[in-house]
Amino acid sequence: MRQIVLIFLLTLGLFAKTITPNEVYAEAMLISDETHFLLKHYGIKHDHDGIVSRTAIKTQLKPRNVWQMTYEIAIKINILRTAHKLPVIEPVNMPPVLNLNPDLVYEQTQRILTEIKIFKYRMGIKNRELKEKIYTNKTPLDVFNLLRKISASFDELNQAEFTPSYVFGETMRVYDDLTEILAHLKIKDNTVPTARNDKATPKDTFKVSMNVLTMIKQIQFSMGIESVDFSVFKKDELTPSDVFTMSQMIIAELQTIKAYIGLEHYITPAATTYTGKTPIDVEQLMNWNLRKVSLIDIKAGK
């Protein structure tokens, strides 16, 4: 009998707690509260309603897309640290999986809350007790929209959006992933950079990014991987920050392809720091990525 009880207890220990989108949303709300607190502390005007109306979208997103938004916020925390003469901390990356679950997004919210707590301590800002609420019927989209709103709030806190140099760094991460995928599949890559478009704007890069996502969707379909409709992200006025977000969605979707073909141990490299990059540089590199992903599409369709 004692052995049976021991085995039962050991078996329970093999199963980690399952975390729901409701719990993740509750943690994201704490991040939102902390962001508002910092905005108030620094006397920065906060356009809450305007941000919500600009950032909210409606589509069927996956936890992998939500996770990638936490990465975007981590980058903006580094911008905040830099502005206050603190060293940056490399954001967490993870091995690719076919189906990322909310548990990993929850872990990211804890890292963000910890980074905010550390920032406040270093700046001599008194920590306060956070009051967590209980939510029901929340979905990955609800969490994504809240995190997207938080990301935009960090732009207010940082008094700046992403520069083209930041976007170029993330576009290079897309390039690295595609290069590794082609090499793993033994697909010969003779692609070269496209000609520079001296009139390129963030809107042009955004359009190319959407074409990359369309190609990825076709590859996912051939592999039986459930895809996401990103058409709702389109809008008339586009900034480098919008392009940055789309680069994150590309990276999120490429993780499924990497996992499917057996690259589950290849983690997307951290972004290199660049300076002096322009929308022209970003558009040229994203077009090169489009050429690369089209090779995978040809191979996957056979």
Side-chain angles (χ1 to χ4, degrees):
M1 182 66 179
R2 184 177 298 176
Q3 289 179 329
I4 295 175
V5 172
L6 180 59
I7 292 172
F8 177 73
L9 291 174
L10 289 174
T11 303
L12 286 178
L14 295 176
F15 296 95
K17 171 180 167 57
T18 299
I19 297 173
T20 68
N22 294 323
E23 293 172 276
V24 182
Y25 189 88
E27 299 304 305
M29 277 301 303
L30 294 181
I31 298 172
S32 181
D33 291 343
E34 285 284 66
T35 308
H36 289 171
F37 175 79
L38 288 174
L39 285 164
K40 185 177 180 180
H41 174 82
Y42 286 110
I44 299 172
K45 185 178 180 181
H46 179 49
D47 181 20
H48 178 273
D49 293 338
I51 288 177
V52 171
S53 64
R54 292 196 309 270
T55 58
I57 60 166
K58 291 182 179 180
T59 191
Q60 294 297 317
L61 293 176
K62 303 294 183 183
R64 62 180 180 259
N65 308 115
V66 185
W67 191 96
Q68 211 64 45
M69 185 54 62
T70 65
Y71 174 92
E72 178 172 314
I73 293 172
I75 295 292
K76 292 189 177 183
I77 289 176
N78 270 342
I79 294 174
L80 179 66
R81 290 178 64 91
T82 299
H84 291 272
K85 312 300 182 185
L86 297 175
V88 299
I89 307 298
E90 184 177 310
V92 171
N93 286 298
M94 61 171 290
V97 293
L98 272 174
N99 296 297
L100 190 145
N101 60 48
D103 302 34
L104 296 172
V105 183
Y106 178 91
E107 292 177 9
Q108 284 289 86
T109 62
Q110 299 311 294
R111 294 184 180 100
I112 291 172
L113 285 167
T114 299
E115 287 300 327
I116 293 174
K117 183 178 180 179
I118 292 171
F119 172 80
K120 288 165 65 179
Y121 181 80
R122 291 294 303 275
M123 300 309 299
I125 302 171
K126 186 176 180 180
N127 272 310
R128 61 205 180 96
E129 183 179 352
L130 299 178
K131 296 181 179 179
E132 187 172 319
K133 297 180 181 179
I134 297 175
Y135 297 89
T136 59
N137 301 319
K138 295 301 179 182
T139 67
L141 177 60
D142 294 318
V143 180
F144 183 89
N145 279 332
L146 179 54
L147 291 172
R148 200 165 185 227
K149 179 258 178 188
I150 292 168
S151 180
S153 296
F154 264 98
D155 291 339
E156 294 182 330
L157 188 58
N158 293 331
Q159 300 288 281
E161 293 190 41
F162 283 127
T163 65
S165 292
Y166 273 104
V167 183
F168 187 87
E170 294 301 316
T171 308
M172 275 301 304
R173 297 180 75 221
V174 175
Y175 175 93
D176 291 336
D177 265 5
L178 291 172
T179 300
E180 189 66 23
I181 290 170
L182 290 171
H184 182 78
L185 293 174
K186 295 181 172 56
I187 298 175
K188 190 172 183 179
D189 181 8
N190 290 325
T191 61
V192 295
T194 60
R196 286 172 66 84
N197 175 8
D198 293 334
K199 295 182 180 180
T201 66
K203 187 172 184 178
D204 296 311
T205 306
F206 189 93
K207 182 178 179 180
V208 180
S209 299
M210 294 300 290
N211 290 337
V212 171
L213 283 166
T214 297
M215 287 279 190
I216 291 173
K217 187 174 183 177
Q218 293 171 0
I219 298 168
Q220 289 172 325
F221 178 78
S222 70
M223 294 175 169
I225 299 171
E226 192 172 0
S227 58
V228 173
D229 178 15
F230 291 101
S231 62
V232 295
F233 284 84
K234 295 178 181 178
K235 58 182 182 179
D236 294 330
E237 298 296 325
L238 292 160
T239 67
S241 287
D242 295 315
V243 180
F244 187 101
T245 297
M246 297 319 296
S247 72
Q248 297 310 297
M249 296 304 100
I250 292 172
I251 290 171
E253 296 308 297
L254 285 176
Q255 302 316 299
T256 64
I257 295 173
K258 285 159 59 180
Y260 183 90
I261 64 176
L263 274 173
E264 66 272 10
H265 299 301
Y266 177 77
I267 300 175
T268 306
T272 300
T273 300
Y274 295 90
T275 58
K277 296 300 181 181
T278 68
I280 297 170
D281 299 309
V282 180
E283 193 264 354
Q284 182 185 37
L285 181 55
M286 191 59 83
N287 260 312
W288 193 0
N289 287 336
L290 181 60
R291 289 182 172 183
K292 282 177 169 288
V293 77
S294 68
L295 296 179
I296 305 171
D297 181 47
I298 294 171
K299 181 71 175 182
K302 292 181 179 179

